[in-house]
Amino acid sequence: MTLNDFHRNFRSDVQTVINERVEAGEGPFPSDELVFAELVMRHMEDAGLCEPATICHWSGTIGNAKLRITGYALSADETGLDLFVTHYFGTDELVELKDSDAIATANEGVRFLFRASRGNLDARIDPTHPVRELVATIRSRWAELDRLRVILVTDGHTKNKRFASKEHEGKIIAVESVDVERLLRHTEGKPRDELAVSFVQTIGRVLPCVHVPDPDADYEYVLTAIPGKVLWSLYRDFNTSLLEANVRTYLGAKKTVNRGIVETLRSEPEHFLAFNNGLVLVCDEAKFERGADGNIGLSFLKGVQIVNGGQTTSTIYFASRDDKGIDLSHVMVPAKIIILKGSQDEARERLISNVSRYANSQTAVKMSDLSANRPFHVQLEKLADDTWCPDGATKWFYERAAGAYNVMLLREGTTPAKRRKLMETASPKRKLSKNDIAKYHEAWRGKPNQVALAGEKNFSAFMAALDEDPTIVPNPLDARWYRAMIAKVILFKAVESIIKTREAKETFRQGWVNIATYVVAAVADRLGDQLDLEQIWLKQGVSPALEKLLWDWALVVNAEFARIAPGQQVSEVAKRAETWAAIRKVRFPDRVAKIPELRSA
């Protein structure tokens, strides 16, 4: 697919989402620009490029300086923050965005960050505007924030994707763009293209290495040692996307192995190379140059993924972040690098999977940790593909692998008419990711404070729960369970929809997902046995009477959040177990009208 074709398709997707929301009664708001930004942020979240993001549009002027943001994403530990700023053309044809204009737009977000950190914005922002929550967080958490990015989101095309970083009060703010080309790269399954490092540029020299080429194999082999500072900067710049092929997330410094890493970093950094087992990496491209000693060395890697050693990498980053006494200048980490040679994407990904699998088998990682290939996800994907909605013409789409929906559109939507037909059959609003299923399932299971952890944390907890108690879901999954699961999704989306209308936003000013989560958990807790989920599946919606009940209960949940922690962020209050304990004790309004979906008690 050409860049221009992808641009036109993405623009069509934006219009489709807007039309769906207008039909759902949300009115003409949000604008094309904000819907575009929302889709891009969701795409980035699915690709592992950012945490779950929040649309939060604000603009202002201080003196002659323009300030603006369109959204933000705060990491679960509140040490990383991404600010998004849009440069939207809204044109049918792809437009080139000059680097100077891209930087000028991004600087509006940089200024916002600087002013918010100094406490200079409070008096200039309406107290009821949702951005006040973000400003308060930046000011109160400024000392702890150490991964800062301003991301330009554009429907144009930028020559560069990363620009010169900014520095403010000793903190580095990375500036980058997500344009149509970068979106296409991820959609086509080539996100690793941007995970690149030049050792010559980073440390001023090539890395000494042993290079073992094999013309008959589908890979080449390199053995080297990577400076700790290089790993630190890679993790800072790319975060968990660097570990995409790794089967683990960071387990924390209390893990026995990680404690040993931290202790070595503190007391014997020069012995790190001798004590550590090292990393296994795969890459799509490598370059070699002669060093100052005349020997061939490793100069450049592109498409880098760490498949074993994620704990080492993340521990080096977090340990040096939290303990300023740690000096990485003497830390070297042994590394085995597999350079992929095959041109077939499936074969390359299979090799990566096997390298990851066998490299990690030395430390007893369960095969179930390779989550996308777990029977639960494979079976759910098949059920979604085989099960038609009651109208016989539409389906829900389960995205077992990130980007599978867009890949389906690219593969089968070879003409505008075919693409429209595919999107009518499986609408974007009926696309469900693994994290989505974890959110909806666990909300209904009475875990709203866990769901509030969002993204990977809630997903990991859901997977762990399935390991501990496989009876949580039937094995194998069946059509009845699937229909009930989709009914829970519909119920959740119904709550979100009614509290995000233009009129409702006067009452529900923030935390819509969290409010919806707690309402669904309360419904499951109080009415779960009485609710006929099959009826919701058959209607693919909820009745006006049930919608009225959900609205009344949402008002109660919203008021309870305000009572429990007045002035605090709903997203933070929602993570507390005591919040759910308090809401479980609240009296919810009794139903007045007959609700078709409720069986008699």
Side-chain angles (χ1 to χ4, degrees):
M1 174 174 286
T2 68
L3 204 54
N4 285 309
D5 288 339
F6 180 77
H7 171 263
R8 282 191 289 271
N9 287 340
F10 208 96
R11 179 161 170 73
S12 174
D13 294 348
V14 170
Q15 296 304 317
T16 298
V17 171
I18 291 173
N19 292 337
E20 288 176 346
R21 292 183 181 179
V22 171
E23 289 175 8
E26 295 185 26
F29 179 84
S31 68
D32 291 26
E33 180 176 356
L34 295 188
V35 170
F36 169 78
E38 182 181 340
L39 293 181
V40 173
M41 291 179 200
R42 178 62 184 267
H43 183 98
M44 292 181 66
E45 177 191 341
D46 290 344
L49 296 176
C50 74
E51 299 282 345
T54 301
I55 284 284
C56 188
H57 180 68
W58 181 87
S59 61
T61 304
I62 296 181
N64 294 323
K66 292 181 179 179
L67 289 72
R68 183 165 62 97
I69 67 160
T70 308
Y72 67 93
L74 184 66
S75 67
D77 61 1
E78 294 193 348
T79 62
L81 175 67
D82 295 330
L83 295 182
F84 300 90
V85 188
T86 52
H87 194 119
Y88 187 70
F89 294 101
T91 55
D92 290 331
E93 299 301 321
L94 183 62
V95 177
E96 290 292 327
L97 177 60
K98 295 179 181 178
D99 281 356
S100 57
D101 293 333
I103 293 169
T105 299
N107 280 341
E108 295 178 11
V110 173
R111 293 188 201 105
F112 174 90
L113 179 63
F114 290 175
R115 296 283 183 173
S117 70
R118 295 169 182 159
N120 295 346
L121 289 181
D122 299 66
R124 298 176 180 271
I125 299 176
D126 186 322
T128 65
H129 197 291
V131 82
R132 285 292 291 266
E133 175 186 357
L134 172 61
V135 171
T137 298
I138 293 173
R139 189 176 65 251
S140 63
R141 300 287 303 177
W142 183 248
E144 289 78 23
L145 287 170
D146 70 341
R147 285 173 288 136
L148 297 163
R149 289 192 300 177
V150 172
I151 301 172
L152 167 72
V153 174
T154 179
D155 61 337
H157 176 244
T158 60
K159 179 181 178 181
N160 291 303
K161 309 301 184 255
R162 285 184 169 79
F163 305 101
S165 299
K166 307 290 183 180
E167 186 170 356
H168 177 63
E169 297 181 359
K171 297 183 185 292
I172 302 297
I173 297 91
V175 180
E176 57 188 80
S177 76
V178 175
D179 67 343
V180 173
E181 184 178 43
R182 196 169 174 189
L183 287 172
L184 175 60
R185 187 184 298 157
H186 281 270
T187 301
E188 290 186 330
K190 299 176 181 177
R192 290 196 302 272
D193 282 1
E194 59 194 57
L195 298 174
V197 56
S198 168
F199 299 108
V200 174
Q201 291 180 2
T202 305
I203 58 174
R205 60 179 175 84
V206 298
L207 292 184
C209 69
V210 175
H211 179 209
V212 185
D214 184 344
D216 297 324
D218 55 358
Y219 71 94
E220 295 183 9
Y221 179 94
V222 174
L223 189 63
T224 187
I226 300 176
K229 285 188 173 181
V230 172
L231 279 180
W232 184 93
S233 62
L234 278 171
Y235 191 88
R236 179 199 62 193
D237 293 342
F238 301 117
N239 203 258
T240 53
S241 58
L242 183 69
L243 314 177
E244 185 179 321
N246 198 294
V247 298
R248 296 191 191 88
T249 54
Y250 182 51
L251 301 176
K254 293 183 179 180
K255 194 74 175 175
T256 303
V257 173
N258 294 354
R259 281 203 306 269
I261 292 173
V262 174
E263 184 57 35
T264 302
L265 291 172
R266 285 176 178 157
S267 59
E268 299 180 80
E270 70 280 3
H271 288 144
F272 197 92
L273 185 64
F275 294 169
N276 190 264
N277 288 336
L279 314 178
V280 179
L281 302 91
V282 296
C283 72
D284 295 313
E285 181 183 336
K287 293 181 181 178
F288 301 88
E289 297 178 17
R290 292 198 181 276
D293 59 1
N295 294 320
I296 290 291
L298 183 62
S299 64
F300 175 81
L301 294 176
K302 180 180 178 182
V304 184
Q305 291 277 272
I306 295 175
V307 298
N308 181 254
Q311 295 305 303
T312 295
T313 305
S314 50
T315 301
I316 286 173
Y317 176 83
F318 287 110
S320 60
R321 181 198 72 181
D322 297 336
D323 185 348
K324 302 305 180 185
I326 289 178
D327 181 8
L328 298 181
S329 60
H330 299 295
V331 173
M332 298 293 289
V333 184
K336 178 173 73 174
I337 302 172
I338 306 297
I339 307 167
L340 305 170
K341 289 167 57 179
S343 59
Q344 296 296 319
D345 288 341
E346 286 189 13
R348 291 164 72 91
E349 295 306 316
R350 186 164 56 249
L351 178 58
I352 292 173
S353 178
N354 285 332
V355 170
S356 177
R357 172 184 175 185
Y358 294 117
N360 282 285
S361 64
Q362 59 188 302
T363 47
V365 175
K366 294 179 295 184
M367 286 303 299
S368 61
D369 290 337
L370 298 167
S371 60
N373 295 319
R374 288 182 57 151
F376 173 84
H377 299 291
V378 174
Q379 292 169 22
L380 180 50
E381 181 183 51
K382 188 173 189 308
L383 280 169
D385 192 47
D386 292 345
T387 307
W388 291 90
C389 292
D391 62 9
T394 58
K395 296 179 181 179
W396 289 76
F397 188 97
Y398 181 58
E399 205 172 44
R400 180 168 66 92
Y405 183 82
N406 285 324
V407 169
M408 179 269 292
L409 292 178
L410 283 172
R411 186 178 62 245
E412 301 177 29
T414 52
T415 67
K418 288 182 179 180
R419 186 180 177 87
R420 282 194 301 272
K421 179 63 177 175
L422 287 169
M423 294 183 72
E424 289 170 3
T425 302
S427 164
K429 69 179 181 181
R430 285 180 169 172
K431 181 191 75 170
L432 299 169
S433 68
K434 295 195 295 293
N435 285 352
D436 289 333
I437 288 294
K439 174 174 69 176
Y440 301 131
H441 186 280
E442 294 298 86
W444 183 264
R445 205 165 68 91
K447 305 288 183 181
N449 52 301
Q450 171 193 300
V451 174
L453 297 174
E456 289 300 318
K457 287 200 171 184
N458 177 56
F459 176 76
S460 297
F462 174 43
M463 290 294 97
L466 290 182
D467 283 340
E468 293 169 9
D469 183 6
T471 63
I472 290 173
V473 299
N475 187 19
L477 302 181
D478 55 43
R480 182 179 179 182
W481 175 89
Y482 175 74
R483 295 193 300 270
M485 184 67 243
I486 296 300
K488 296 166 188 175
V489 174
I490 293 168
L491 188 74
F492 195 111
K493 286 177 173 284
V495 181
E496 277 192 300
S497 179
I498 61 178
I499 66 177
K500 289 179 72 174
T501 60
R502 293 171 68 180
E503 297 77 11
K505 286 180 180 177
E506 291 299 314
T507 302
F508 300 93
R509 298 188 180 279
Q510 57 158 311
W512 299 288
V513 172
N514 302 119
I515 298 296
T517 301
Y518 272 79
V519 171
V520 169
V523 168
D525 188 49
R526 303 287 180 91
L527 304 173
D529 293 337
Q530 301 174 51
L531 198 63
D532 188 347
L533 295 172
E534 187 70 16
Q535 276 204 50
I536 296 176
W537 161 262
L538 290 171
K539 295 176 185 174
Q540 290 292 294
V542 301
S543 66
L546 179 54
E547 192 173 87
K548 176 63 167 62
L549 182 77
L550 295 175
W551 169 262
D552 291 340
W553 284 31
L555 290 174
V556 172
V557 170
N558 191 52
E560 189 64 13
F561 269 97
R563 184 194 67 79
I564 293 171
Q568 295 186 37
Q569 293 177 250
V570 167
S571 59
E572 288 309 303
V573 180
K575 296 174 184 176
R576 304 171 188 166
E578 55 266 30
T579 300
W580 175 227
I583 287 178
R584 289 191 75 183
K585 296 176 183 177
V586 169
R587 177 178 174 80
F588 287 95
D590 295 326
R591 55 187 186 273
V592 178
K594 178 176 174 57
I595 298 176
E597 294 92 340
L598 285 180
R599 308 183 190 92
S600 299

